Amino acid sequence: MFTTDRAFSGFSVDDIDTARSFYRDTLGLETVDDEMGFFSLKLASGASVFVYPKPNHEPASFTILNFPTDDVGAAVDDLNARGVTTKIYGDDELKTDAKGVQRGRGPTIAWFRDPAGNVLSVLEM
């Protein structure tokens, strides 16, 4: 029978070890390996996100994971200090400030990429 109570999301990466290191060591998320060598991100909300390697991986051109924050500017400073680039769009593509923060067009938000090129964000909520 179809049920929704254990649903979860997932996305692909081109290098599972590099991705695991980024999410665990750079972003500070809990990663849990499975028996097949893949891993899940365990989020503080209780949600789980499955991360798997794909030989012909193409980065998602949309935001696959959002990290809500009370202060995008502080979050961006923290990410930049960890070596994460947040200015990922040119001004002709998406108007952002020098740190990559977009203000005044929806939520205040900044995007960044994981090592596989997938788009992530921090946004004020």
Side-chain angles (χ1 to χ4, degrees):
M1 173 189 329
F2 175 78
T3 63
T4 61
D5 61 329
R6 296 183 343 141
F8 63 93
S9 182
F11 60 87
S12 71
V13 296
D14 55 354
D15 183 318
I16 197 76
D17 294 326
T18 300
R20 182 183 296 107
S21 177
F22 174 78
Y23 285 99
R24 182 190 59 220
D25 303 333
T26 303
L27 298 186
L29 294 170
E30 179 183 357
T31 60
V32 178
D33 294 337
D34 71 11
E35 63 279 353
M36 298 186 321
F38 308 153
F39 69 92
S40 291
L41 301 172
K42 298 298 181 187
L43 306 178
S45 66
S48 179
V49 181
F50 184 63
V51 181
Y52 58 94
K54 186 175 176 192
N56 58 347
H57 166 77
E58 291 188 29
S61 61
F62 52 88
T63 307
I64 62 163
L65 190 56
N66 297 285
F67 297 94
T69 182
D70 293 330
D71 185 343
V72 166
V76 164
D77 288 343
D78 187 25
L79 286 167
N80 293 164
R82 297 173 190 218
V84 176
T85 300
T86 51
K87 176 92 172 155
I88 66 169
Y89 297 111
D91 289 333
D92 56 329
E93 293 177 276
L94 194 60
K95 197 129 180 97
T96 60
D97 66 17
K99 292 183 181 181
V101 179
Q102 177 183 274
R103 301 173 194 278
R105 296 184 54 172
T108 300
I109 186 169
W111 294 272
F112 59 102
R113 295 185 189 277
D114 73 3
N118 295 312
V119 179
L120 313 171
S121 83
V122 288
L123 72 154
E124 281 184 16
M125 294 191 77

